[in-house]
Structures are given as C-alpha cells and as structure tokens.
Amino acid sequence: MIDLRSDTVTKPSPGMRKAIAEADVGDDVLDGDPTVRKLEAKTAELLGAEAALFFPTGTMANEVAIWCLGKPGTELFVHEDAHIVDREKAGAAALAGMQPRLIRGAPRATLETFKAAVRAPSGYLPRASLLCLENTHNSGGGIVTPADELHAIADAGRKLGLHVLLDGARLWNASAASGTPLSAFASCADATMVSFSKGLGAPVGAALAGSKTLMFEAHEARRRFGGGMRQSGVLAAGCLYGIEHNLGRLKDDHAAAKAFAAIVSEAKTATVTTPETNIVMITVPSGTDPATVEREAGKRGVAVSLWDTTRVRAVTHLDVSMEDVVRAATILRDLFSGAKS
Ligand SMILES: *Cc1c(COP(=O)(O)O)cnc(C)c1O
C-alpha cells in the first residue's frame, strides 16, 4: 500500500529510533528534562521567539494558546476550513468558552476575507479577542500565505485589539516552499504552533513559541490540560532528530506532490489543486462519491484520505519515494479515467 493519507503516517527511521533510545532524560514536571529543554531552545531560536514549550500534540498546543490568549464569552476569528474550527472537537468552545466567527471563502483567509468577517461594534454583538491563522493552510491544499500578507492580516487584527495565534503545524513546509525564514512568519503572532509529527517525521510532538510571559502561562495551562510529561526527552529526541535530518528534505516532498498532481490531473474528470507544498486536494469527478474513490483507490494499493463531501486528500512524506508517488498518481489517474486495473 502506498500510504498518502497524511504526512503523520511516517514511522521513525533507524537513526531516529537510535536518537530516541539514547536520549538524556529527566522528569520534566519535577525539575526539567534536558532533551526537552534543548528542543524548546532550538524551536525558539528557529522561530525567533523568546521561548518555546513542548506539547504532545498540535491540538493541545493550539487549545492551550487559545485558552491563554482568548477571553471566555468572546469570539475568535478563524477560517471556516481551519484545523482549529474543523478538527479540534470544538475545543475553543468546550475549553476556552469562545465561539468562532468564521472567515469565509476558499481556499484560505486573506486580508479581504478577514475584513469581510469583521462586524461593526455594537451593543448586541459579541466582542472578539483572538485571530487564528493557519500556514500552510491544510484544507486549501497545503497553500502558503506569504509572510507580508500574513503580517497584513495580523496587523489588521491587532488594530481591532485581537491577539494572534499562528497554527503553523506545517510552517516548515511554508518556509521551505517560499524560502522565507520561519521567524518571518512567526513574528506576526503572539504564539506560533509547530508540529514535529508531520513532515519532520517524529512519532509525537509539537511546540508553542512566544514571549516568556506567555510561555509561563502556557506551561501552567499545559499542566491543567493534562499535558505535563515526565521523561519526555524520549519524545523530544525524535523531534530534534527531525529538525536536524528532515527539515532540509521537505522540498523533495513538494517536488513529489507536484509530480503527483500533474499525473492525476491528466484525468480530465477530476479537479486537482496545484500543490505549493506536500498536500494535494482532489475534487472527485462529479457524480462520484469521494468515499467510493477512497475505497477503490485502496483496493488498487493507494491510500488517500476522505476529506469532505467532494474531495479526497493525498499527502507526500518521507516514507514514500518519488517512484511510489508516480505509481500512486498513475493508479488514481486511471481510476478517474474509468480504466480497468
Ligand atoms: C495536524 C495539524 C494540527 C495538530 O494536530 P495534532 O494531530 O493534534 O498534532 C493543527 N493544525 C493543523 C493545520 C494540522 O494540520
């Protein structure tokens, strides 16, 4: 099976497993874990932030950031397709007491669509306290919001008194694709989340970066959310290994995604996004059910993920070669063209 469901399906490589096995560890809740400290310092440096905090998942990091930056009984601006509103089990509502105010319009938030979501202040309407941005934007097909545009949106939010959270689960990919340093993206936000278990190939881990004051509050909230971890250096070691060995190869995933999209789009019946990074969204032929496409592709040896009512998603990653990806694309093209396998 060529598994293109997500870049989270990668297995730790022998080198990463060795780094994990040999990690220097402590008790991160009691008095600190040296490998976690090292990862947090490295992440803060890469993102140009004062400090960073290690988390088991990106979702917990996002939700802690929302909890710290938002105010209960207010709204957070977020794109209608964003992970925070679509894939985190209504965490902002359940945990932080906030409701989303959706930024509408495919494929991602822009200055115009953000401004269109803002309503004139009124005694009736809820106030907003937070703006959440996502880069790369997963549901739009791993697309990059350029740093200057990201700053323009964030600045417009700040003028309204909003804090800004950047969901940068795949900020690594945005940086690799655009040649923009990570810090130039992260500087738009009060807090930036990055994930180590996507393109970097670590089994577990994410981080939040921001000011020391905010990270102090986030540390407290992480414990409250059940995210205080003990010998977490075994996890952080995998993340450090991913930064050292896999950050530089993300462009290979991007090249594979481009090749994949070019081949699948030869089937004129499907609409394929032109990938900027490692995600390809495929709108299945009209009259076809994406669940059927997912099942049929699986039978032919390609795993894609069912995304919504019209789309399936394919993601390239370090455990699939260019050869695998080309083979998978050819299988999907033939499937969409109605050819028998
Ligand atoms: C994967 C992802 C997250 C975090 O996911 P976890 O599975 O909780 O680590 C957050 N935002 C985006 C855009 C993601 O793709």
Side-chain angles (χ1 to χ4, degrees):
M1 182 68 81
I2 303 169
D3 194 347
L4 301 177
R5 286 173 300 161
S6 177
D7 45 9
T8 58
V9 301
T10 57
K11 308 266 169 70
S13 64
M16 185 181 280
R17 285 174 190 263
K18 187 162 181 287
I20 289 170
E22 291 171 358
D24 188 11
V25 295
D27 187 319
D28 197 46
V29 174
L30 289 186
D31 52 7
D33 177 292
T35 307
V36 170
R37 283 299 87 74
K38 203 170 149 192
L39 175 64
E40 290 173 339
K42 181 73 193 166
T43 306
E45 182 200 318
L46 284 171
L47 295 179
E50 267 180 18
L53 190 65
F54 185 50
F55 280 85
T57 66
T59 297
M60 191 191 280
N62 274 342
E63 294 302 328
V64 161
I66 291 169
W67 199 93
C68 290
L69 293 170
K71 203 171 164 328
T74 67
E75 294 185 328
L76 59 92
F77 286 97
V78 61
H79 187 264
E80 59 182 333
D81 253 355
H83 197 279
I84 282 172
V85 74
D86 204 35
R87 315 239 147 192
E88 301 190 4
K89 302 287 182 194
L95 303 167
M98 299 178 73
Q99 68 180 9
R101 172 64 40 193
L102 300 178
I103 302 170
R104 295 183 190 275
R108 63 166 170 84
T110 63
L111 182 58
E112 286 64 38
T113 57
F114 168 54
K115 283 182 172 167
V118 174
R119 301 182 294 173
S122 137
Y124 286 124
L125 303 175
R127 285 186 294 126
S129 61
L130 184 62
L131 166 62
C132 301
L133 298 167
E134 187 178 306
N135 206 13
T136 66
H137 190 66
N138 183 1
S139 197
I143 47 177
V144 180
T145 306
D148 53 351
E149 192 182 342
L150 200 65
H151 278 266
I153 305 170
D155 289 348
R158 261 182 239 292
K159 281 205 187 106
L160 300 170
L162 308 176
H163 285 298
V164 180
L165 166 62
L166 176 58
D167 176 348
R170 294 188 183 82
L171 198 64
W172 321 106
N173 299 83
S175 174
S178 62
T180 305
L182 292 158
S183 56
F185 290 114
S187 55
C188 81
D190 296 283
T192 300
M193 188 280 276
V194 287
S195 176
F196 303 109
S197 61
K198 306 262 162 96
L200 299 190
V204 175
L208 200 63
S211 71
K212 279 187 184 152
T213 318
L214 182 64
M215 290 308 108
F216 179 83
E217 287 169 23
H219 184 268
E220 209 174 61
R222 183 185 68 177
R223 176 73 178 154
R224 182 177 299 127
F225 279 45
M229 298 176 286
R230 305 291 180 169
Q231 283 73 46
S232 35
V234 293
L235 304 177
C239 304
L240 277 165
Y241 185 94
I243 290 174
E244 247 167 70
H245 296 86
N246 298 335
L247 192 52
R249 58 157 302 289
L250 288 177
K251 55 185 183 331
D252 299 344
D253 294 344
H254 300 176
K258 281 196 174 67
F260 178 89
I263 295 169
V264 178
S265 60
E266 286 169 10
K268 301 292 179 220
T269 50
T271 309
V272 184
T273 57
T274 304
E276 296 178 12
T277 59
N278 67 329
I279 298 177
V280 184
M281 286 289 177
I282 303 167
T283 305
V284 302
S286 60
T288 315
D289 179 5
T292 311
V293 168
E294 183 203 24
R295 199 171 52 245
E296 286 303 315
K299 280 188 204 159
R300 298 174 194 206
V302 181
V304 292
S305 59
L306 177 61
W307 195 254
D308 55 24
T309 54
T310 56
R311 298 183 296 171
V312 294
R313 187 187 74 163
V315 188
T316 57
H317 53 76
L318 85 176
D319 281 1
V320 286
S321 64
M322 180 64 103
E323 221 179 12
D324 291 335
V325 168
V326 166
R327 194 147 55 88
T330 309
I331 290 169
L332 282 180
R333 179 195 64 196
D334 294 347
L335 176 66
F336 292 137
S337 305
K340 292 270 172 286
S341 58

